[in-house]
């Protein structure tokens, strides 16, 4: 039962990342969040995977979390919201 619960939480997190991507198609925010939190990459590896600097990885991460905070987790999961707010 615990494994099923954890699997469900991971799938929910993947859905949030997919929603972030859908609502913000010109940004790499969803990819950065997925690398960092679902693939458990350190910042150096996030930067390498995303072909960006660590500074940019941090900036994209922070912008993504700020956007999710602004629109709410449910709207982010569904891919709703406007990236134009940033």
């Amino acid at each position: 039962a615990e494994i099923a619960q954890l699997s469900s939480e991971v799938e929910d997190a993947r859905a949030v990342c997919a929603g972030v991507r859908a609502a913000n198609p010109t940004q790499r925010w969803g990819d950065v969040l997925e690398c960092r939190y679902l693939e458990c990459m350190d910042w150096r590896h996030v930067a390498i995977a995303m072909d960006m600097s660590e500074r940019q990885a941090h900036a994209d991460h922070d912008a993504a979390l700020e956007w999710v905070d602004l629109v709410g987790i449910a709207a982010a999961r569904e891919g709703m919201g406007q990236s134009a707010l940033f």
Side-chain angles (χ1 to χ4, degrees), residues 1-6:
E2 186 176 349
I3 296 292
Q5 175 63 32
L6 293 173

Side-chain angles (χ1 to χ4, degrees), residues 1-2 5 9 11 16 22-24 29-30 45 60-61 63 67 73 75 78 82 85:
E2 186 176 349
Q5 175 63 32
E9 289 176 18
E11 288 311 309
V16 171
N24 303 282
W29 299 347
H45 286 98
D60 284 2
H61 168 271
W67 179 81
I73 195 81
E78 297 303 316
Q82 300 175 359
L85 297 171

Side-chain angles (χ1 to χ4, degrees), residues 2-3 5 8-10 18 20-21 24 26 28 38 41-42 52-55 68 72 75 77 82 84:
E2 186 176 349
I3 296 292
Q5 175 63 32
S8 175
E9 289 176 18
V10 169
V20 170
R21 278 187 208 94
N24 303 282
T26 62
R28 297 184 284 179
L38 292 165
M41 292 181 183
D42 61 30
M52 62 175 59
S53 69
E54 285 187 48
R55 184 179 180 145
V68 169
R77 185 183 298 107
Q82 300 175 359

Side-chain angles (χ1 to χ4, degrees), residues 48-70:
I48 291 168
M50 298 300 303
D51 193 30
M52 62 175 59
S53 69
E54 285 187 48
R55 184 179 180 145
Q56 185 62 52
H58 279 279
D60 284 2
H61 168 271
D62 294 348
L65 292 184
E66 192 172 327
W67 179 81
V68 169
D69 220 19
L70 181 68

